[in-house]
Coordinates of all heavy atoms in Angstrom, one line a residue:
M110 N 0.6 0.6 7.4 CA 0.6 -0.7 6.7 C 2.1 -1.0 6.3 O 2.7 -0.1 5.7 CB -0.3 -0.6 5.5 CG -0.2 -1.8 4.6 SD -1.4 -1.8 3.3 CE -1.3 -0.2 2.5
K111 N 2.5 -2.2 6.4 CA 3.8 -2.6 6.0 C 3.6 -3.6 4.9 O 2.9 -4.6 5.0 CB 4.6 -3.2 7.1 CG 6.0 -3.6 6.7 CD 6.9 -3.9 7.9 CE 8.3 -4.2 7.4 NZ 9.2 -4.5 8.5
L112 N 4.3 -3.4 3.8 CA 4.4 -4.3 2.7 C 5.8 -4.9 2.6 O 6.7 -4.2 2.7 CB 4.0 -3.6 1.4 CG 2.6 -3.0 1.3 CD1 2.4 -2.2 0.1 CD2 1.5 -4.1 1.4
L113 N 5.8 -6.2 2.2 CA 7.1 -6.9 2.1 C 7.2 -7.5 0.7 O 6.5 -8.5 0.4 CB 7.2 -8.0 3.2 CG 6.9 -7.5 4.6 CD1 6.4 -8.6 5.5 CD2 8.2 -7.0 5.2
F114 N 8.1 -7.0 -0.1 CA 8.3 -7.5 -1.4 C 9.5 -8.4 -1.5 O 10.6 -8.1 -0.8 CB 8.6 -6.3 -2.4 CG 7.4 -5.5 -2.6 CD1 7.1 -4.4 -1.8 CD2 6.5 -5.7 -3.6 CE1 6.0 -3.5 -2.0 CE2 5.4 -4.9 -3.9 CZ 5.2 -3.8 -3.0
T115 N 9.5 -9.5 -2.3 CA 10.6 -10.4 -2.4 C 10.7 -10.8 -3.9 O 9.6 -11.2 -4.5 CB 10.5 -11.6 -1.5 OG1 10.3 -11.2 -0.2 CG2 11.7 -12.5 -1.6
K116 N 11.9 -10.8 -4.5 CA 12.0 -11.3 -5.8 C 12.5 -12.7 -5.8 O 13.6 -13.0 -5.1 CB 13.0 -10.4 -6.6 CG 13.1 -10.7 -8.0 CD 13.9 -9.6 -8.7 CE 13.8 -9.6 -10.2 NZ 14.6 -8.5 -10.8
E117 N 11.8 -13.6 -6.4 CA 12.1 -15.0 -6.4 C 13.2 -15.3 -7.4 O 13.5 -14.5 -8.3 CB 10.9 -15.9 -6.6 CG 9.7 -15.6 -5.7 CD 10.0 -16.0 -4.3 OE1 10.8 -17.0 -4.1 OE2 9.5 -15.4 -3.3
D118 N 13.8 -16.5 -7.4 CA 14.8 -16.9 -8.3 C 14.3 -16.9 -9.8 O 15.1 -16.6 -10.7 CB 15.3 -18.4 -8.0 CG 16.1 -18.4 -6.7 OD1 16.6 -17.4 -6.3 OD2 16.1 -19.5 -6.1
N119 N 13.0 -17.1 -10.0 CA 12.5 -17.1 -11.4 C 12.1 -15.6 -11.8 O 11.4 -15.5 -12.7 CB 11.3 -18.0 -11.5 CG 10.2 -17.7 -10.6 OD1 10.2 -16.7 -9.8 ND2 9.1 -18.5 -10.6
N120 N 12.5 -14.6 -11.0 CA 12.2 -13.2 -11.2 C 10.7 -12.8 -10.9 O 10.3 -11.7 -11.2 CB 12.6 -12.7 -12.6 CG 14.1 -12.7 -12.8 OD1 14.8 -12.4 -11.8 ND2 14.6 -12.9 -14.0
D121 N 9.9 -13.7 -10.4 CA 8.6 -13.3 -9.9 C 8.7 -12.5 -8.6 O 9.6 -12.8 -7.8 CB 7.7 -14.6 -9.6 CG 7.2 -15.2 -10.9 OD1 7.3 -14.6 -11.9 OD2 6.7 -16.4 -10.7
I122 N 7.9 -11.5 -8.5 CA 7.9 -10.7 -7.2 C 6.7 -11.1 -6.4 O 5.6 -11.2 -6.9 CB 7.8 -9.2 -7.6 CG1 9.1 -8.8 -8.4 CG2 7.7 -8.4 -6.3 CD1 9.1 -7.4 -8.9
T123 N 7.0 -11.5 -5.2 CA 5.9 -11.9 -4.2 C 5.7 -10.7 -3.2 O 6.6 -9.9 -3.0 CB 6.2 -13.2 -3.5 OG1 7.4 -13.0 -2.7 CG2 6.4 -14.4 -4.4
L124 N 4.5 -10.7 -2.7 CA 4.2 -9.6 -1.8 C 3.5 -10.2 -0.6 O 2.6 -11.0 -0.7 CB 3.3 -8.6 -2.5 CG 2.7 -7.4 -1.7 CD1 3.8 -6.6 -1.1 CD2 1.8 -6.6 -2.6
K125 N 3.9 -9.7 0.6 CA 3.2 -10.0 1.8 C 2.8 -8.7 2.5 O 3.4 -7.7 2.3 CB 4.0 -10.9 2.8 CG 4.3 -12.2 2.2 CD 4.9 -13.2 3.3 CE 5.1 -14.5 2.6 NZ 4.7 -15.6 3.4
I126 N 1.7 -8.8 3.3 CA 1.2 -7.6 4.0 C 1.3 -8.0 5.5 O 0.9 -9.1 5.8 CB -0.2 -7.2 3.5 CG1 -0.6 -5.9 4.1 CG2 -1.2 -8.3 3.8 CD1 -1.8 -5.3 3.4
Q127 N 1.7 -7.0 6.3 CA 1.8 -7.3 7.7 C 0.5 -7.0 8.4 O -0.1 -5.9 8.3 CB 2.9 -6.5 8.3 CG 3.2 -6.9 9.7 CD 4.6 -6.4 10.1 OE1 5.5 -6.4 9.3 NE2 4.7 -6.0 11.3
Q128 N -0.1 -8.0 9.1 CA -1.2 -7.9 9.9 C -0.7 -7.9 11.4 O -0.3 -8.9 11.9 CB -2.2 -9.0 9.7 CG -3.1 -8.9 8.6 CD -4.0 -10.1 8.5 OE1 -3.7 -11.2 8.9 NE2 -5.2 -9.9 7.9
G129 N -0.8 -6.7 12.0 CA -0.2 -6.7 13.4 C 1.3 -6.9 13.2 O 2.0 -6.1 12.6
T130 N 1.8 -7.9 13.8 CA 3.2 -8.2 13.7 C 3.5 -9.4 12.8 O 4.7 -9.8 12.7 CB 3.8 -8.5 15.1 OG1 3.1 -9.6 15.7 CG2 3.7 -7.3 16.0
V131 N 2.5 -10.0 12.2 CA 2.7 -11.2 11.4 C 2.5 -10.9 9.9 O 1.5 -10.4 9.5 CB 1.6 -12.3 11.8 CG1 1.7 -13.5 11.0 CG2 1.7 -12.5 13.3
P132 N 3.5 -11.2 9.1 CA 3.4 -11.1 7.6 C 2.5 -12.2 7.1 O 2.7 -13.4 7.4 CB 4.8 -11.3 7.0 CG 5.7 -11.3 8.2 CD 4.9 -11.6 9.4
V133 N 1.5 -11.9 6.3 CA 0.5 -12.9 5.7 C 0.5 -12.6 4.2 O 1.0 -11.6 3.7 CB -0.9 -12.7 6.3 CG1 -0.9 -13.1 7.7 CG2 -1.5 -11.4 6.0
E134 N 0.0 -13.6 3.4 CA -0.2 -13.5 2.0 C -1.0 -12.2 1.7 O -2.0 -11.9 2.3 CB -0.8 -14.7 1.4 CG 0.0 -16.0 1.5 CD 1.3 -15.9 0.8 OE1 1.4 -15.3 -0.3 OE2 2.3 -16.3 1.4
F135 N -0.5 -11.5 0.7 CA -1.2 -10.2 0.3 C -2.6 -10.5 -0.3 O -2.7 -11.4 -1.1 CB -0.3 -9.5 -0.8 CG -1.0 -8.3 -1.3 CD1 -0.9 -7.1 -0.7 CD2 -1.7 -8.4 -2.5 CE1 -1.5 -6.0 -1.2 CE2 -2.3 -7.2 -3.1 CZ -2.2 -6.0 -2.4
T136 N -3.5 -9.7 0.1 CA -4.8 -9.7 -0.6 C -5.2 -8.2 -0.7 O -4.9 -7.4 0.1 CB -5.9 -10.4 0.2 OG1 -6.1 -9.7 1.5 CG2 -5.6 -11.9 0.5
Y137 N -5.9 -7.9 -1.8 CA -6.4 -6.5 -2.0 C -7.3 -6.1 -0.9 O -7.3 -4.9 -0.5 CB -7.0 -6.3 -3.4 CG -6.0 -6.4 -4.5 CD1 -5.8 -7.5 -5.3 CD2 -5.2 -5.3 -4.7 CE1 -4.9 -7.5 -6.3 CE2 -4.2 -5.3 -5.7 CZ -4.1 -6.4 -6.5 OH -3.1 -6.4 -7.5
T138 N -8.2 -7.0 -0.4 CA -9.1 -6.6 0.6 C -8.4 -6.2 1.9 O -8.9 -5.3 2.5 CB -10.2 -7.8 0.9 OG1 -9.4 -9.0 1.2 CG2 -11.1 -8.0 -0.3
E139 N -7.4 -6.9 2.2 CA -6.6 -6.6 3.5 C -6.0 -5.2 3.3 O -5.9 -4.4 4.2 CB -5.6 -7.6 3.8 CG -4.8 -7.3 5.1 CD -5.6 -7.2 6.3 OE1 -6.7 -7.8 6.4 OE2 -5.2 -6.4 7.2
M140 N -5.4 -5.0 2.1 CA -4.8 -3.7 1.8 C -5.8 -2.5 1.9 O -5.5 -1.5 2.6 CB -4.1 -3.7 0.4 CG -3.4 -2.4 0.1 SD -2.7 -2.3 -1.6 CE -4.2 -2.0 -2.5
I141 N -6.9 -2.7 1.3 CA -7.9 -1.6 1.3 C -8.4 -1.4 2.8 O -8.6 -0.3 3.2 CB -9.1 -2.0 0.4 CG1 -8.6 -1.9 -1.1 CG2 -10.3 -1.1 0.6 CD1 -9.5 -2.4 -2.1
K142 N -8.6 -2.5 3.5 CA -9.1 -2.4 4.9 C -8.1 -1.6 5.7 O -8.4 -0.7 6.4 CB -9.2 -3.8 5.5 CG -9.5 -3.8 7.0 CD -9.6 -5.3 7.5 CE -9.4 -5.3 9.0 NZ -8.8 -6.5 9.5
Q143 N -6.8 -1.9 5.5 CA -5.8 -1.2 6.3 C -5.6 0.3 5.8 O -5.5 1.2 6.7 CB -4.4 -1.9 6.2 CG -4.4 -3.2 7.0 CD -3.0 -3.7 7.1 OE1 -2.0 -3.0 7.2 NE2 -2.9 -5.1 7.2
L144 N -5.8 0.5 4.5 CA -5.7 1.9 4.1 C -6.9 2.7 4.6 O -6.8 3.9 4.8 CB -5.7 1.9 2.5 CG -4.3 1.6 1.9 CD1 -4.4 1.4 0.4 CD2 -3.3 2.6 2.3
L145 N -8.1 2.1 4.7 CA -9.3 2.8 5.2 C -9.1 3.1 6.7 O -9.6 4.1 7.1 CB -10.5 2.0 4.9 CG -11.0 1.9 3.5 CD1 -12.1 0.9 3.3 CD2 -11.4 3.3 3.0
E146 N -8.5 2.2 7.4 CA -8.3 2.4 8.8 C -7.2 3.5 9.1 O -7.3 4.3 10.0 CB -7.9 1.1 9.5 CG -9.0 0.1 9.6 CD -8.5 -1.3 10.1 OE1 -7.3 -1.4 10.5 OE2 -9.3 -2.2 10.2
N147 N -6.1 3.4 8.3 CA -5.0 4.3 8.5 C -4.3 4.5 7.2 O -3.5 3.6 6.8 CB -4.1 3.8 9.6 CG -2.9 4.7 9.8 OD1 -2.9 5.9 9.4 ND2 -1.9 4.3 10.6
N148 N -4.5 5.6 6.5 CA -4.0 5.7 5.1 C -2.5 6.0 5.1 O -2.1 7.1 4.8 CB -4.7 6.8 4.4 CG -4.3 6.9 2.9 OD1 -3.7 6.0 2.4 ND2 -4.5 8.1 2.3
T149 N -1.7 5.0 5.5 CA -0.3 5.2 5.4 C 0.3 3.9 4.9 O -0.1 2.8 5.4 CB 0.4 5.5 6.8 OG1 0.0 4.5 7.7 CG2 -0.1 6.9 7.3
I150 N 1.2 4.0 4.0 CA 2.0 2.9 3.5 C 3.4 3.2 4.0 O 4.1 4.0 3.4 CB 1.9 2.7 2.0 CG1 0.5 2.5 1.6 CG2 2.8 1.6 1.6 CD1 0.3 2.5 0.1
D151 N 3.8 2.7 5.1 CA 5.1 3.1 5.7 C 5.9 1.8 5.9 O 5.4 0.7 5.9 CB 4.9 3.8 7.0 CG 4.0 3.0 8.0 OD1 3.6 1.9 7.7 OD2 3.8 3.5 9.1
D152 N 7.2 2.0 6.1 CA 8.0 0.9 6.4 C 8.0 -0.2 5.4 O 7.9 -1.4 5.7 CB 7.7 0.4 7.8 CG 8.9 -0.4 8.4 OD1 10.0 -0.3 7.9 OD2 8.7 -1.3 9.3
T153 N 7.9 0.1 4.1 CA 7.9 -0.9 3.0 C 9.2 -1.5 2.8 O 10.2 -0.8 2.8 CB 7.4 -0.2 1.7 OG1 6.1 0.3 1.9 CG2 7.3 -1.3 0.6
D154 N 9.3 -2.8 2.8 CA 10.5 -3.6 2.6 C 10.6 -4.1 1.2 O 9.8 -5.0 0.8 CB 10.6 -4.7 3.6 CG 11.9 -5.5 3.6 OD1 12.6 -5.4 2.6 OD2 12.1 -6.4 4.5
F155 N 11.5 -3.6 0.4 CA 11.6 -4.0 -1.0 C 12.6 -5.1 -1.2 O 12.8 -5.5 -2.3 CB 12.0 -2.8 -1.8 CG 11.0 -1.7 -1.9 CD1 11.1 -0.5 -1.2 CD2 9.8 -1.9 -2.7 CE1 10.1 0.5 -1.3 CE2 8.9 -0.9 -2.8 CZ 9.0 0.2 -2.1
G156 N 13.1 -5.7 -0.1 CA 13.9 -6.9 -0.2 C 15.0 -6.7 -1.2 O 15.8 -5.8 -1.3
N157 N 15.1 -7.7 -2.2 CA 16.2 -7.8 -3.1 C 15.7 -7.2 -4.5 O 16.3 -7.6 -5.5 CB 16.6 -9.2 -3.3 CG 15.5 -10.2 -3.6 OD1 14.3 -9.8 -3.5 ND2 15.9 -11.4 -4.0
L158 N 14.8 -6.3 -4.6 CA 14.3 -5.7 -5.8 C 15.4 -4.7 -6.3 O 16.1 -4.1 -5.6 CB 13.0 -5.0 -5.7 CG 11.8 -5.9 -5.8 CD1 11.7 -7.0 -4.8 CD2 10.5 -5.0 -5.8
S159 N 15.4 -4.6 -7.7 CA 16.3 -3.6 -8.3 C 15.9 -2.2 -8.0 O 14.7 -2.0 -7.6 CB 16.4 -3.8 -9.8 OG 15.2 -3.4 -10.4
D160 N 16.7 -1.2 -8.2 CA 16.4 0.2 -7.9 C 15.2 0.6 -8.8 O 14.3 1.4 -8.4 CB 17.6 1.1 -8.2 CG 18.7 0.9 -7.1 OD1 18.3 0.4 -6.0 OD2 19.8 1.3 -7.3
D161 N 15.2 0.2 -10.1 CA 14.1 0.5 -11.0 C 12.8 -0.1 -10.5 O 11.8 0.6 -10.6 CB 14.4 0.0 -12.4 CG 15.4 0.8 -13.2 OD1 15.7 2.0 -12.7 OD2 16.0 0.3 -14.1
E162 N 12.8 -1.3 -10.1 CA 11.6 -1.9 -9.5 C 11.1 -1.2 -8.3 O 9.9 -0.9 -8.2 CB 11.9 -3.4 -9.2 CG 12.1 -4.2 -10.5 CD 12.7 -5.6 -10.2 OE1 13.4 -5.8 -9.2 OE2 12.4 -6.5 -10.9
K163 N 12.0 -0.8 -7.4 CA 11.6 -0.1 -6.2 C 11.0 1.3 -6.6 O 10.0 1.6 -6.0 CB 12.9 0.2 -5.3 CG 13.4 -1.0 -4.7 CD 14.7 -0.7 -3.9 CE 15.4 -1.9 -3.4 NZ 16.7 -1.6 -2.8
E164 N 11.6 2.0 -7.5 CA 11.1 3.3 -8.0 C 9.7 3.1 -8.5 O 8.8 3.9 -8.2 CB 12.1 3.9 -9.0 CG 11.8 5.3 -9.4 CD 12.8 5.8 -10.4 OE1 14.0 5.7 -10.1 OE2 12.3 6.4 -11.4
N165 N 9.5 2.1 -9.4 CA 8.2 1.9 -10.0 C 7.1 1.6 -8.9 O 6.0 2.1 -9.0 CB 8.2 0.8 -11.0 CG 9.0 1.3 -12.3 OD1 9.1 2.4 -12.6 ND2 9.5 0.3 -13.0
L166 N 7.5 0.7 -8.0 CA 6.5 0.4 -6.9 C 6.3 1.6 -6.0 O 5.1 1.8 -5.6 CB 7.1 -0.8 -6.1 CG 7.0 -2.1 -6.9 CD1 7.8 -3.2 -6.1 CD2 5.6 -2.6 -7.0
E167 N 7.3 2.4 -5.7 CA 7.0 3.6 -4.9 C 6.1 4.5 -5.5 O 5.2 5.1 -4.9 CB 8.4 4.3 -4.5 CG 9.2 3.5 -3.5 CD 10.6 4.1 -3.3 OE1 11.1 4.8 -4.2 OE2 11.2 3.8 -2.3
E168 N 6.2 4.7 -6.9 CA 5.3 5.5 -7.6 C 3.9 5.0 -7.6 O 2.9 5.7 -7.3 CB 5.8 5.6 -9.1 CG 4.9 6.5 -9.9 CD 5.4 6.6 -11.4 OE1 6.6 6.3 -11.6 OE2 4.6 7.0 -12.2
I169 N 3.7 3.7 -7.8 CA 2.4 3.1 -7.7 C 1.8 3.2 -6.3 O 0.6 3.6 -6.2 CB 2.4 1.6 -8.1 CG1 2.8 1.5 -9.6 CG2 1.1 0.9 -7.8 CD1 3.2 0.1 -10.0
L170 N 2.6 3.0 -5.3 CA 2.0 3.1 -3.9 C 1.7 4.5 -3.6 O 0.7 4.8 -2.9 CB 3.1 2.5 -2.9 CG 3.4 1.0 -3.0 CD1 4.5 0.7 -2.1 CD2 2.1 0.2 -2.7
G171 N 2.4 5.5 -4.1 CA 2.1 6.9 -3.9 C 0.8 7.2 -4.5 O -0.1 7.9 -3.9
K172 N 0.5 6.7 -5.7 CA -0.8 7.0 -6.4 C -1.9 6.3 -5.7 O -3.0 6.9 -5.6 CB -0.7 6.4 -7.9 CG 0.2 7.3 -8.7 CD 0.3 6.8 -10.2 CE 1.2 7.6 -11.0 NZ 1.3 7.2 -12.4
I173 N -1.7 5.1 -5.1 CA -2.8 4.5 -4.3 C -3.1 5.3 -3.1 O -4.2 5.6 -2.8 CB -2.4 3.0 -4.0 CG1 -2.3 2.1 -5.2 CG2 -3.3 2.5 -2.9 CD1 -1.7 0.8 -5.0
S174 N -2.1 5.8 -2.4 CA -2.2 6.6 -1.2 C -3.0 7.9 -1.6 O -3.8 8.3 -0.8 CB -0.9 6.9 -0.6 OG -1.1 7.5 0.6
E175 N -2.7 8.5 -2.7 CA -3.3 9.7 -3.1 C -4.8 9.5 -3.3 O -5.6 10.4 -3.0 CB -2.7 10.2 -4.4 CG -1.4 10.9 -4.3 CD -0.8 11.3 -5.6 OE1 -1.5 11.5 -6.6 OE2 0.4 11.5 -5.7
I176 N -5.2 8.4 -3.9 CA -6.6 8.1 -4.1 C -7.3 8.0 -2.7 O -8.4 8.6 -2.6 CB -6.8 6.7 -4.8 CG1 -6.3 6.8 -6.2 CG2 -8.2 6.2 -4.7 CD1 -6.2 5.5 -6.9
F177 N -6.7 7.4 -1.7 CA -7.4 7.4 -0.4 C -7.4 8.7 0.3 O -8.3 9.1 1.0 CB -6.7 6.3 0.5 CG -7.2 4.9 0.1 CD1 -6.6 4.2 -0.9 CD2 -8.3 4.3 0.8 CE1 -7.1 2.9 -1.3 CE2 -8.8 3.1 0.4 CZ -8.2 2.4 -0.6
N178 N -6.3 9.5 0.0 CA -6.3 10.9 0.6 C -7.4 11.7 0.0 O -8.1 12.5 0.6 CB -5.0 11.6 0.3 CG -3.9 11.1 1.3 OD1 -4.2 10.7 2.4 ND2 -2.6 11.2 0.9
K179 N -7.6 11.6 -1.4 CA -8.7 12.3 -2.0 C -10.0 11.9 -1.5 O -10.9 12.8 -1.2 CB -8.6 12.1 -3.5 CG -9.6 12.9 -4.3 CD -9.5 12.6 -5.8 CE -10.4 13.4 -6.7 NZ -11.8 13.3 -6.3
D180 N -10.3 10.6 -1.3 CA -11.5 10.2 -0.7 C -11.8 10.7 0.6 O -12.9 11.1 1.0 CB -11.6 8.6 -0.7 CG -11.7 8.0 -2.1 OD1 -12.1 8.7 -3.0 OD2 -11.5 6.8 -2.2
E181 N -10.7 10.8 1.5 CA -10.9 11.4 2.8 C -11.2 12.8 2.7 O -12.1 13.3 3.5 CB -9.6 11.2 3.6 CG -9.3 9.8 4.1 CD -8.0 9.6 4.8 OE1 -7.3 10.6 5.0 OE2 -7.7 8.5 5.1
E182 N -10.5 13.6 1.8 CA -10.8 15.0 1.7 C -12.3 15.2 1.2 O -13.0 16.1 1.7 CB -9.8 15.6 0.7 CG -8.4 15.7 1.3 CD -7.4 16.1 0.3 OE1 -7.8 16.4 -0.9 OE2 -6.2 16.2 0.6
D183 N -12.7 14.4 0.2 CA -14.1 14.6 -0.3 C -15.1 14.3 0.8 O -16.1 15.0 1.0 CB -14.3 13.6 -1.4 CG -13.6 14.0 -2.7 OD1 -13.1 15.2 -2.7 OD2 -13.4 13.2 -3.6
G184 N -14.8 13.3 1.7 CA -15.7 12.9 2.8 C -15.7 14.1 3.8 O -16.8 14.4 4.4
E185 N -14.6 14.7 4.1 CA -14.6 15.8 5.0 C -15.4 17.0 4.5 O -16.1 17.6 5.3 CB -13.1 16.2 5.3 CG -12.4 15.2 6.1 CD -10.9 15.6 6.2 OE1 -10.5 16.7 5.8 OE2 -10.1 14.7 6.7
E186 N -15.3 17.3 3.2 CA -16.1 18.4 2.7 C -17.5 18.1 2.8 O -18.3 19.0 3.1 CB -15.7 18.6 1.2 CG -14.3 19.1 1.0 CD -13.9 19.2 -0.5 OE1 -14.8 19.0 -1.3 OE2 -12.7 19.4 -0.7
T187 N -17.9 16.9 2.5 CA -19.4 16.5 2.6 C -19.8 16.6 4.1 O -20.9 17.2 4.3 CB -19.6 15.0 2.2 OG1 -19.1 14.9 0.8 CG2 -21.0 14.6 2.2
D188 N -19.0 16.2 5.1 CA -19.4 16.4 6.5 C -19.6 17.8 6.8 O -20.5 18.2 7.5 CB -18.3 15.8 7.4 CG -18.3 14.3 7.3 OD1 -19.2 13.7 6.8 OD2 -17.3 13.7 7.7
H189 N -18.7 18.7 6.3 CA -18.8 20.1 6.6 C -20.0 20.8 6.0 O -20.7 21.7 6.6 CB -17.6 20.9 6.2 CG -16.3 20.5 6.9 ND1 -16.2 20.7 8.3 CD2 -15.2 19.9 6.5 CE1 -15.0 20.3 8.7 NE2 -14.4 19.8 7.6
E190 N -20.4 20.3 4.8 CA -21.6 20.8 4.1 C -22.9 20.5 4.8 O -23.8 21.3 4.8 CB -21.6 20.3 2.7 CG -20.5 20.8 1.8 CD -20.5 20.2 0.4 OE1 -21.4 19.4 0.2 OE2 -19.6 20.4 -0.4
T191 N -22.9 19.4 5.5 CA -24.2 19.0 6.2 C -24.3 19.6 7.6 O -25.4 19.5 8.1 CB -24.2 17.5 6.3 OG1 -23.1 17.0 7.0 CG2 -24.3 16.8 4.9
K192 N -23.3 20.2 8.1 CA -23.4 20.8 9.4 C -23.9 22.2 9.4 O -23.9 22.9 8.6 CB -22.0 20.7 10.1 CG -21.6 19.3 10.4 CD -20.3 19.3 11.2 CE -19.9 17.8 11.4 NZ -18.7 17.7 12.1

C-alpha cells in the first residue's frame, strides 16, 4: 500500500492512498482492505512534511502494521489448532 502525505499552506496535512496506480482520497475502509490483502505499508511519500511529522507518522503506521501482523499470527495459530 502506498500513502501520499501533503502539507497544505494552512498546515493541514492531506492524505491520499494509491489504488493500483491511481492516488485517490484516503478512506479507512480502503486502507483496511489493502492491509487485509497485503499487510505492507511501503513506499510512503511524506512530501513536504517536517522530520518530526514524518517520524510521528512512521511510528503510527508501524503500530497499525503490528496490529495486522498480530491478527495474522492469531489466525494462523487457530488454523493449526483445528488441523
Side-chain angles (χ1 to χ4, degrees):
M110 167 176 52
K111 182 172 184 174
L112 299 173
L113 307 151
F114 292 90
T115 306
K116 191 172 193 176
E117 304 295 329
D118 291 336
N119 62 0
N120 287 330
D121 284 347
I122 297 174
T123 60
L124 174 59
K125 293 194 179 221
I126 189 167
Q127 191 161 319
Q128 279 182 329
T130 59
V131 179
V133 296
E134 293 301 316
F135 175 85
T136 64
Y137 287 103
T138 53
E139 179 62 26
M140 180 183 78
I141 291 170
K142 176 184 158 203
Q143 288 192 30
L144 285 170
L145 289 171
E146 290 173 3
N147 181 11
N148 183 22
T149 57
I150 302 172
D151 54 0
D152 199 21
T153 301
D154 182 350
F155 291 106
N157 56 346
L158 274 61
S159 71
D160 289 340
D161 286 341
E162 291 166 330
K163 289 177 192 176
E164 186 178 311
N165 288 335
L166 287 169
E167 285 173 340
E168 183 179 339
I169 291 168
L170 294 174
K172 289 179 180 181
I173 291 169
S174 188
E175 285 176 21
I176 291 168
F177 281 85
N178 281 335
K179 183 179 182 305
D180 287 346
E181 286 176 5
E182 290 170 4
D183 290 346
E185 288 174 9
E186 290 173 12
T187 303
D188 291 344
H189 294 298
E190 290 174 4
T191 57
K192 291 182 181 178

